[in-house]
Amino acid sequence: MKKALDLVQRIGAHPDSRCWFVSWSPNGALLASCGGDKALRIWGREGDSWVCKTVLQDGHQRTVRKVAWSPCGNYLASASFDATTCIWKKKDDDFESLTVLEGHENEVKCVAWAPSGNLLATCSRDKSVWVWEVDEDEEYECVTVLNSHTQDVKHVAWHPTKELLASASYDNNICIYKEEDDDWECQATLQGHTSTVWSLCFDAAGEKMASCSDDRTVKIWKEYPSESAQSDLSWKCVCTLSGYHGRTVYDVAWCRLTGALATASGDDAVRVFKEDVTASPDEPVFSLVAQATKAHSQDVNCVSWNPKEAGLLASCSDDGEIAIWRFEEEE
Amino acid sequence: FRGEGYQEGFRKGTHRGLQNGRRNGASHGAKLSSEISFYYGFAVTWKCLLECNVDNKSRKRLRALEALLILIQKSPLDDPQSMKLQEDTEKLRAKFRQVCSMLNVPTDFKDYIKTAEGTSF
């Protein structure tokens, strides 16, 4: 079975700057990118190629670090080093700034929408994770400030089916949060990585979570019913992928359609792993099935699978470029 | 003579150490209570301002202010060696930030309080 990672298109997305993050819209038709040039760009397909449809330039005073689409696809949230998170509303083919969420003391590192569309999570270098609630009047309110990490929080991600939040930090830990008695609390702290955890993501069913780190490994975590009566679930590390990445692994993305796992690394490469079907589910085995060793000319910051088109992968880099790839599994 | 010198030095050191410890403790205690009292006064004032409003938003804000006041009342301020004090102070600070966000008040109170950071036992 031959597998390949073919380059579809390379885009000079954020000229003279870093491209920090790319995110596909829920319907897979648009790609949002953000970068060191303080701008957000929306890319769409025209014929066979991807072109820039919109540039959102005046939303932030500093680097835009991450961008996230709401589950309905009508809103965008952008997290910036200027300590704010901007919410944009889709208006015809353009986006206008709806509101600005303030409160973090310094750089906001990540923003993520819950699958319900009613909650938003942000995290920052100020070591905290904030959960915001949206009401029918498009009003955003902070419902909790969580201080479970002892260092910069790099990433937050929501569970696909449960109201569960995970965060990754410079303190080498992953925290899992749940709403208990009308307030959010840290339900578990997952230790294992020996350096900064840069990113994490859940698989389609939400039974497994992948995390990646400055320690050059990717860890797979699985949820188990806990022995003690207190919490109903605990997460254990069931697999560690080491020896594949020459440098820090900055991002990991689990394809919700195919189950393929993509990674972005400081060694300029993009890699794709797949779980061996023969291994036991409690001791999964992942194999490297495709890689683009010189995917970019500098650190690859992000990888993102298209949610509707299987095998379509986007990556972006410190070199300011976005690359679109096709991952093929030929029989 | 060495023995006597040692005894004298030890006594003087103990005395000095106690003085320093007392001063240090008092200073940290003052900082912490000044910070928490600030939150208390802040919450009580806002509660008075919003109590008469019946709209949904004000009610949500009042609930958050109540939660902040309860946290203050429950924290073991009389027991500086309590492990819970550290945890509760963190929770208090986080709750205060959340309340400020709800009230649309910027949390730049540097002129009024100096948080007692780095207090460890």
Side-chain angles (χ1 to χ4, degrees):
Chain A
M1 219 194 315
K2 188 182 149 229
K3 293 178 170 78
L5 195 58
D6 298 318
L7 180 68
V8 169
Q9 192 181 344
R10 198 176 282 284
I11 309 166
H14 293 266
D16 301 320
S17 193
R18 283 184 231 255
C19 183
W20 276 115
F21 204 73
V22 281
S23 176
W24 295 97
S25 62
N27 66 3
L30 298 169
L31 182 69
S33 70
C34 61
D37 58 6
K38 311 172 197 171
L40 275 162
R41 276 166 206 265
I42 316 290
W43 308 84
R45 219 184 218 142
E46 245 163 57
D48 277 334
S49 54
W50 294 86
V51 298
C52 184
K53 296 281 195 177
T54 320
V55 182
L56 302 173
Q57 188 67 57
D58 301 312
H60 291 288
Q61 322 267 16
R62 285 183 65 189
T63 292
V64 187
R65 185 62 179 85
K66 292 222 172 80
V67 60
W69 294 83
S70 66
C72 62
N74 293 325
Y75 302 88
L76 268 177
S78 56
S80 168
F81 284 178
D82 67 7
T84 70
T85 304
C86 188
I87 310 290
W88 306 81
K89 188 171 182 185
K90 197 161 200 279
K91 204 175 178 189
D92 304 318
D93 272 337
D94 204 351
F95 281 86
E96 52 177 31
S97 175
L98 183 67
T99 187
V100 177
L101 306 180
E102 294 178 320
H104 279 297
E105 294 177 57
N106 44 46
E107 293 91 335
V108 189
K109 296 296 177 97
C110 187
V111 62
W113 293 86
S116 65
N118 295 332
L119 297 173
L120 199 66
T122 57
C123 66
S124 159
R125 184 166 69 80
D126 68 9
K127 309 172 197 166
S128 67
V129 169
W130 289 45
V131 180
W132 307 77
E133 199 174 62
V134 199
D135 66 17
E136 320 83 42
D137 300 314
E138 293 178 334
E139 297 250 326
Y140 290 76
E141 200 168 68
C142 173
V143 294
T144 193
V145 171
L146 297 154
N147 280 318
S148 308
H149 285 293
T150 56
Q151 297 284 359
D152 189 352
V153 190
K154 301 290 191 187
H155 198 85
V156 275
W158 290 92
H159 190 278
T161 56
K162 294 192 270 211
E163 219 153 70
L164 203 77
L165 182 66
S167 64
S169 168
Y170 181 75
D171 68 8
N172 308 353
N173 296 336
I174 295 166
C175 283
I176 311 278
Y177 310 90
K178 206 175 172 193
E179 197 172 9
E180 206 77 45
D181 292 332
D182 214 35
D183 202 5
W184 288 80
E185 22 179 78
C186 175
Q187 198 200 36
T189 302
L190 309 182
Q191 297 178 306
H193 279 295
T194 54
S195 189
T196 304
V197 189
W198 277 97
S199 183
L200 42 76
C201 67
F202 289 94
D203 70 349
E207 287 160 11
K208 293 200 289 288
M209 177 176 66
S211 62
C212 62
S213 163
D214 182 56
D215 67 10
R216 308 183 187 184
T217 70
V218 168
K219 282 188 186 281
I220 311 291
W221 308 81
K222 201 166 179 239
E223 216 179 16
Y224 288 97
S226 168
E227 285 91 56
S228 73
Q230 288 192 321
S231 62
D232 34 1
L233 298 155
S234 69
W235 293 80
K236 295 196 195 348
C237 176
V238 292
C239 179
T240 300
L241 304 174
S242 52
Y244 296 98
H245 302 88
R247 295 249 194 289
T248 305
V249 192
Y250 288 114
D251 197 16
V252 62
W254 222 318
C255 180
R256 301 261 164 107
L257 297 171
T258 64
L261 198 64
T263 62
S265 174
D267 63 7
D268 310 350
V270 165
R271 294 177 176 86
V272 182
F273 296 84
K274 260 216 131 164
E275 191 170 351
D276 285 350
V277 286
T278 52
S280 123
D282 287 330
E283 281 180 19
V285 173
F286 282 79
S287 324
L288 176 67
V289 293
Q291 67 182 335
T293 45
K294 271 275 144 209
H296 291 275
S297 57
Q298 289 180 54
D299 288 5
V300 191
N301 295 321
C302 173
V303 272
S304 181
W305 292 101
N306 188 296
K308 295 292 180 202
E309 210 173 313
L312 197 62
L313 181 71
S315 66
C316 69
S317 161
D318 275 356
D319 63 14
E321 294 188 339
I322 293 175
I324 314 276
W325 310 87
R326 173 138 276 124
F327 170 59
E328 302 255 320
E329 296 183 70
E330 301 156 40
E331 303 279 326
Chain B
F1 275 130
R2 220 187 284 153
E4 272 180 36
Y6 176 87
Q7 297 286 8
E8 205 184 308
F10 194 87
R11 268 197 310 271
K12 279 213 173 111
T14 309
H15 185 67
R16 191 79 65 82
L18 263 164
Q19 278 187 322
N20 279 343
R22 220 166 256 152
R23 221 175 304 150
N24 211 285
S27 142
H28 276 294
K31 278 195 203 135
L32 188 65
S33 64
S34 115
E35 180 190 351
I36 296 185
S37 316
F38 178 84
Y39 297 152
Y40 185 76
F42 179 93
V44 168
T45 309
W46 273 98
K47 201 175 154 207
C48 288
L49 289 170
L50 295 174
E51 242 161 10
C52 300
N53 300 10
V54 287
D55 61 294
N56 234 343
K57 208 171 182 181
S58 297
R59 263 194 267 140
K60 278 195 200 164
R61 290 168 169 189
L62 274 166
R63 262 204 301 265
L65 285 163
E66 276 294 340
L68 179 60
L69 285 167
I70 290 174
L71 269 174
I72 295 172
Q73 279 159 359
K74 276 194 174 159
S75 55
L77 295 166
D78 293 330
D79 186 9
Q81 291 189 316
S82 151
M83 292 291 281
K84 222 175 156 279
L85 183 60
Q86 188 83 329
E87 228 176 78
D88 280 7
T89 315
E90 286 296 331
K91 277 212 188 106
L92 247 166
R93 286 185 188 132
K95 192 72 192 170
F96 177 67
R97 293 195 74 84
Q98 186 225 329
V99 169
C100 283
S101 173
M102 284 179 100
L103 296 170
N104 255 316
V105 170
T107 46
D108 185 10
F109 297 108
K110 279 198 289 277
D111 297 330
Y112 299 100
I113 50 162
K114 237 194 198 159
T115 56
E117 307 275 53
T119 311
S120 60
F121 292 92

